[in-house]
Structure formats: C-alpha cells, structure tokens
Amino acid sequence: MAETSVKRDREMLGFEGTLPNGSATMPHVDITVISDAICPWCFIGKRHLDLALAELPEEISVSVAWHPFELNPDMPAEGLSRREYRTAKFGSWERSRALDAQVEAAAARAGLEIHHERMTRTPNTFDAHRLIWLAGEHGVQSAVVDALFRRYFVEGEDIGDNAVLASTARDGGLADVDIPAFLASDQGRSEVQAGLDEARRLGVSGVPTFIINNSIGLTGAQPPEALRQAIIESTGGSGRPG
C-alpha cells in the first residue's frame, strides 16, 4: 500500500481529563485503525504506530481500536492455496515473489520478520476479525492483533483455521475464554459485518487506514514520526519540537 495521507471532513473529538497538577486539560486521542490480519503493510503500520505512541508527550493519552477490512472479501471460508491465488492475482508466481521481497525489505527496516516461504494458504479473515472484536471486549485487542500478525507473517500459519485461532487467542491473553465455542457461535458476526460496511461507507479502499480523533486520516504504513505528528496535531499542538 502506497504511503499517502488524506483528510477526512469529520468532527474532531474534544479533550478529557486533567494533568497531574489539576491545572490544565489533558488531551485524549482516539485512534481507529482499519486493518486486515493478512495485510503486511498493516503489520508494519502497527509497529510504526507502537513506536509513535512510545514517543508521545506524557500528557497525551491515547485509545486505539482495531476495525475490520477484508482484502479478499470473496475468499472461500476455507481459504485458497497461496501460490495458486497469488499466481492468478499477479499473473505469475515470479511476480508474486518479487512483491514479497519488497514487503520483506520494508518489514526488516521496521525491525520485523516476514517469512513468506512458510505461508501455504491465503485465509479468509472474517473469523480473525471476530477474534479481534472479542479481544476488544476483553481489553486485549492490541495483543491479539500482534499475535495474529505473528502467526501469519512470522510462523506462516493459517489464521483462518479454528485451531490456530484458538491458540492465537491464548497467546493474546484470552486464555479464559472458550474460543472454540465462540467461533462456533454467531457472536461478533454482526459487529464485524457492521465494521466492514462502515469501512466501505467511509470509502476506505486500502489499509492500514488510521483515523485520528475522527478528523485526520492517514493511509498506508506511515513512518512513526508522521503518525506522532498527526496525533499531536489532532490535540491542537504543532507536532514539532520547540
């Protein structure tokens, strides 16, 4: 995904909280990340966001929510052979491998590993998004998103498989939840579908998309400094030193 930025003409949220001395308003920032669990730029974008958050001024508090997007909305529930799917999509396996090499190089610059050679399936990600929604209900969304990215991009596992999703959920802090029962139910289906519909309504066509305080939109694996600056600017600050 190309690293471009867009502005969204939506109402900016206000501030809440106070500084420790009670003398000033503490800015709070809400960040919505629209993402797919098999999007490598989303994996890289999350690392960049984490780095940006670590460099924010202490007086800024941030909440991050992960919302769904499907790169392959027509993917069969059981997924497809990655080699067959990518060959059909890009015209040849050699072209697919060249694109993979570009992604791996970008990931390495962000301090991440991606092992495309370990991937054999391109999964349907609807149930992965349900798991992310459930993680949000339990306050461990970021950890589950990380775990899904790791399982797919580093370990090459099929995150459309229920057994893989169940073990990923444990990795992300959902050990006390009956994940097989959750996946067998309809829980989270309507919420994920509503999120997918909202992404379409907003005109999101590529991910990751970062929506900051319902006002500033950034698309692509933006550098940490660009994210940090946008977050500060959303509070009324300059985003620049001095």
Side-chain angles (χ1 to χ4, degrees):
M1 178 58 56
E3 295 181 356
T4 59
S5 64
V6 297
K7 292 281 186 179
R8 298 202 177 275
D9 184 19
R10 302 179 68 192
E11 181 181 1
M12 181 180 292
L13 300 180
F15 304 125
E16 62 187 31
T18 58
L19 294 175
N21 62 11
S23 61
T25 301
M26 175 183 290
H28 178 81
V29 178
D30 288 302
I31 301 175
T32 296
V33 187
I34 301 174
S35 163
D36 197 0
I38 60 168
C39 164
W41 298 110
C42 299
F43 183 31
I44 296 167
K46 186 177 190 305
R47 169 57 63 88
H48 288 175
L49 177 62
D50 289 343
L51 292 171
L53 296 178
E55 294 299 321
L56 287 177
E58 292 182 2
E59 65 270 19
I60 297 178
S61 64
V62 177
S63 297
V64 180
W66 291 79
H67 287 208
F69 185 89
E70 289 180 313
L71 290 171
N72 309 306
D74 298 322
M75 181 65 60
E78 67 277 12
L80 291 170
S81 158
R82 185 174 190 271
R83 180 165 185 153
E84 291 177 10
Y85 175 73
R86 299 270 294 184
T87 297
K89 182 175 182 177
F90 295 111
S92 72
W93 182 237
E94 289 70 25
R95 174 59 176 161
S96 174
R97 292 182 65 186
L99 294 171
D100 286 346
Q102 294 175 18
V103 168
E104 289 168 10
R109 290 193 294 271
L112 298 170
E113 294 182 21
I114 291 182
H115 292 279
H116 288 108
E117 77 280 2
R118 298 175 182 172
M119 301 175 189
T120 61
R121 303 290 294 174
T122 296
N124 180 299
T125 58
F126 191 88
D127 281 342
H129 286 303
R130 290 175 63 210
L131 191 66
I132 293 169
W133 170 83
L134 180 68
E137 296 294 292
H138 289 263
V140 292
Q141 202 173 51
S142 179
V144 167
V145 170
D146 274 332
L148 284 165
F149 282 148
R150 184 172 61 253
R151 285 299 186 98
Y152 185 65
F153 289 110
V154 181
E155 299 173 22
E157 296 191 43
D158 179 2
I159 59 170
D161 179 81
N162 282 4
V164 172
L165 288 173
S167 60
T168 302
R170 291 192 294 272
D171 291 348
L174 291 173
D176 296 333
V177 180
D178 187 342
I179 298 300
F182 165 75
L183 292 172
S185 75
D186 289 330
Q187 191 177 4
R189 289 186 179 276
S190 61
E191 290 84 356
V192 168
Q193 189 58 57
L196 294 170
D197 293 343
E198 175 68 2
R200 283 192 291 270
R201 188 189 72 79
L202 291 173
V204 174
S205 59
V207 286
T209 292
F210 303 89
I211 300 175
I212 302 171
N213 267 354
N214 267 3
S215 178
I216 299 174
L218 301 171
T219 300
Q222 296 286 323
E225 178 55 26
L227 290 167
R228 188 192 74 86
Q229 181 174 326
I231 293 167
I232 294 174
E233 288 179 353
S234 77
T235 70
S238 70
R240 300 184 184 280

